[in-house]
């Protein structure tokens, strides 16, 4: 009787380990759930332009200028009317941007998916 009890206990432990292994290895949908949670929680997610693109230039109209905590512009892209936040690089901080200016922003091609979108790796902001 004792042997049968140990045998059943061994089988139960083995089955439990197999079930836990299967559950731990089942990451299907994990990325989708994580992306949904990030969206709900307001976390920033990076969206990248394909790697063949070294630098990207976006043309837009300046809607707001902020210089309290760094020099930042809010622009509206001419291409798709999306809003973008642009952190002006130090080399361009002497320029005096104003509401209504048309600017060409050169950046890395990466944009944070936030509201407004934030352009990453801005190398220059030129006024037309």
């Amino acid at each position: 009787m004792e042997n049968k009890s140990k045998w059943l206990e061994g089988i139960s432990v083995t089955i439990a380990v197999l079930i836990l292994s299967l559950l731990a290895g089942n990451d299907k949908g994990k990325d989708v759930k994580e992306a949904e949670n990030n969206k709900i929680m307001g976390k920033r997610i990076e969206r990248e332009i394909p790697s063949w693109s070294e630098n990207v230039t976006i043309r837009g109209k300046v809607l707001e200028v902020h210089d309290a905590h760094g020099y930042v512009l809010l622009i509206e892209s001419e291409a798709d009317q999306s809003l973008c936040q642009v952190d002006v690089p130090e080399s361009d901080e002497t320029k005096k941007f104003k509401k209504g200016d048309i600017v060409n922003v050169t950046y890395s091609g990466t944009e944070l998916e936030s509201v407004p979108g934030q352009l990453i790796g801005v190398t220059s902001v030129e006024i037309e």
Side-chain angles (χ1 to χ4, degrees):
M1 188 74 149
E2 194 174 313
N3 277 343
K4 189 174 187 179
S5 158
K6 286 188 178 198
W7 183 79
L8 286 174
E9 184 180 323
I11 294 290
S12 297
V13 168
T14 303
I15 291 172
V17 167
L18 285 173
I19 290 172
L20 289 174
S21 297
L22 289 172
L23 290 175
N26 187 7
D27 287 341
K28 188 176 183 181
K30 179 181 174 187
D31 292 337
V32 173
K33 287 179 186 175
E34 188 174 322
E36 288 172 358
N37 288 340
N38 286 343
K39 187 174 182 181
I40 291 168
M41 299 302 292
K43 293 182 182 176
R44 296 175 178 168
I45 305 168
E46 289 189 14
R47 175 179 61 192
E48 291 188 33
I49 291 182
S51 60
W52 49 263
S53 175
E54 289 184 13
N55 280 326
V56 175
T57 300
I58 185 172
R59 184 172 191 255
K61 181 178 182 180
V62 175
L63 301 178
E64 295 178 15
V65 179
H66 302 280
D67 60 0
H69 304 287
Y71 205 0
V72 178
L73 306 177
L74 178 65
I75 67 168
E76 180 181 43
S77 166
E78 282 191 349
D80 61 4
Q81 284 71 46
S82 63
L83 297 179
C84 301
Q85 178 178 315
V86 178
D87 293 328
V88 177
E90 287 182 20
S91 59
D92 292 339
E93 285 184 353
T94 58
K95 296 176 183 171
K96 300 298 178 195
F97 299 100
K98 57 187 180 297
K99 186 176 179 177
D101 284 346
I102 302 298
V103 293
N104 290 310
V105 180
T106 303
Y107 69 108
S108 68
T110 301
E111 179 182 344
L112 291 179
E113 287 187 15
S114 58
V115 179
Q118 296 179 14
L119 304 183
I120 303 299
V122 175
T123 56
S124 70
V125 182
E126 299 296 327
I127 301 172
E128 280 194 6

